Amino acid sequence: MWVPLHAVCLRSQRVCRRSVAAAVSQCFRHRDASVSHFSHSAGLSAQTCKALVYRTHGDPSRVVQLEGVELPSLGAKDVLVKVLAAPINPSDINMIQGTYAILPDLPAVGGNEGVAQVVEVGSQVKSLKTGDWVIPKDAGLGTWRTQAVLPEEDVISVPNDIPLVSAATLGVNPCTAFRMLSDFEDLKPGDSVIQNAANSGVGQAVIQIAAARGINTINVIRDRPEFTELSDKLKAIGASHVIKEEALRKHEIKELFKTCPKPKLALNGVGGKSATELLRHLQIGGSMVTYGGMSKQPVTVPVSALIFKDVKVRGFWVTKWKRDHSHDGRAFRAMLDELCSLIKQGKLRAPACTEVGLQQYHAALDTAMQPFISTKQVLVM
């Protein structure tokens, strides 16, 4: 099954829904040395799937192994799914390395995001049917595998007529972009947002969702030999302005603000000096929201920004948002419906992806860990 992170040791906010400790104790009582017995139910079937498993934290290319994993019996409120595709995200890498904010009990199956097709449903399942596409509701379900038996409540349906890579990459970056554009400032058509890491998965989603809402985006990227080509690509998906980081301190930014309103919202995925520069250009009372720290440098807030501009400095983590809203799924459902509508209208596309077979996971992991990669690695089962 997809091992649920809502039942790991670091999640102290609420009581676990099921005991992963008991499941893990059964995982490696092997009848066959090549088969791992991951289970969340008492009964075990003879059916197995292939999964990327790690038993210890470390270098993903060393600790992740492709293994046969035994599937549990289908319970009344469970669904059997066939995983179709699952991306390799930075959070996946960090989780395997043991550096992420939340970590599953070991052994664990890698992957926090992906799309699967329902193959069979339990007798009491009401919200899903055979053939439906589903994505995880929460992080840590272990999506790097061919099949899984899951509680109905752990997944949510998405349309099966959207592109496969769009469905597989829907639950993290587009949701992060959507919430940041919706929850921190009351943005109207004609307003502006400034962001660094504009060519990241989140950045591209911000550009497209903002464009669909009539919101200007000022997109900051580092200088590079292919800057013009990248700028053209971002403008093709809706970017209003694309500038180099060093331009934030030069006269050209003042010229830009003669025709474009100063931003109400700044989105920071880098940290360090880049974040400080974003703050300088916010409107009075505006917000900077930090969702990442690729530079691994702290965010420094000028005193003048706090005193004279009364800026708000906030943080956002989509996993926490999902968990905070898990008691009532209507907000999550409404967000997915709006995002999928944009996808169907051609207004929201997945970032560039390279589809890789599960057997080629070593190469995919190595590529995903390289700095400044231009495409997302997606495991196709």
Side-chain angles (χ1 to χ4, degrees), residues 252-272:
E252 59 190 276
I253 192 70
K254 295 181 180 179
E255 292 297 312
L256 188 154
F257 287 135
K258 289 181 179 178
T259 58
C260 177
K262 281 204 165 188
K264 289 183 176 180
L265 180 67
L267 303 178
N268 168 44
V270 177

Side-chain angles (χ1 to χ4, degrees), residues 1-5 49-54 66 81-89 91-92 95 104 108-116 134-148 150 154-155 167-169 171-172 358 377-381:
M1 68 176 224
W2 295 354
V3 180
L5 270 188
C49 71
K50 292 292 186 181
L52 295 178
V53 179
Y54 59 102
L66 182 62
V81 301
K82 169 183 168 54
V83 181
L84 303 176
I88 301 175
N89 289 321
S91 60
D92 303 323
M95 199 170 281
V109 177
N112 290 294
E113 189 180 27
V115 62
V134 294
I135 65 173
K137 284 185 177 178
D138 199 357
L141 289 185
T143 55
W144 297 350
R145 54 182 301 143
T146 57
Q147 287 183 297
L150 300 169
D154 282 0
V155 293
T169 59
V172 177
L358 189 63
Q377 302 294 297
V378 178
L379 298 169
V380 178
M381 316 307 170

Side-chain angles (χ1 to χ4, degrees), residues 17-91:
R17 289 196 302 224
R18 71 181 73 93
S19 172
V20 167
V24 172
S25 70
Q26 296 178 358
C27 288
F28 291 96
R29 295 174 185 169
H30 298 305
R31 288 195 291 264
D32 183 315
S34 65
V35 176
S36 304
H37 298 186
F38 287 85
S39 172
H40 73 267
S41 62
L44 292 175
S45 71
Q47 188 175 5
T48 63
C49 71
K50 292 292 186 181
L52 295 178
V53 179
Y54 59 102
R55 294 178 176 80
T56 184
H57 296 299
D59 181 352
S61 64
R62 294 178 179 271
V63 301
V64 174
Q65 299 295 329
L66 182 62
E67 300 182 5
V69 174
E70 193 168 85
L71 292 172
S73 300
L74 185 73
K77 297 183 179 180
D78 294 338
V79 293
L80 171 65
V81 301
K82 169 183 168 54
V83 181
L84 303 176
I88 301 175
N89 289 321
S91 60

Side-chain angles (χ1 to χ4, degrees), residues 167-209:
T169 59
L170 180 61
V172 177
N173 292 338
C175 290
T176 297
F178 184 99
R179 296 263 55 100
M180 292 194 301
L181 288 170
S182 304
D183 296 349
F184 295 93
E185 290 289 337
D186 183 19
L187 297 172
K188 307 291 188 185
D191 286 341
S192 297
V193 173
I194 190 169
Q195 65 167 343
N196 54 26
N199 57 317
S200 67
V202 171
Q204 291 182 51
V206 165
I207 289 169
Q208 295 174 86
I209 296 168

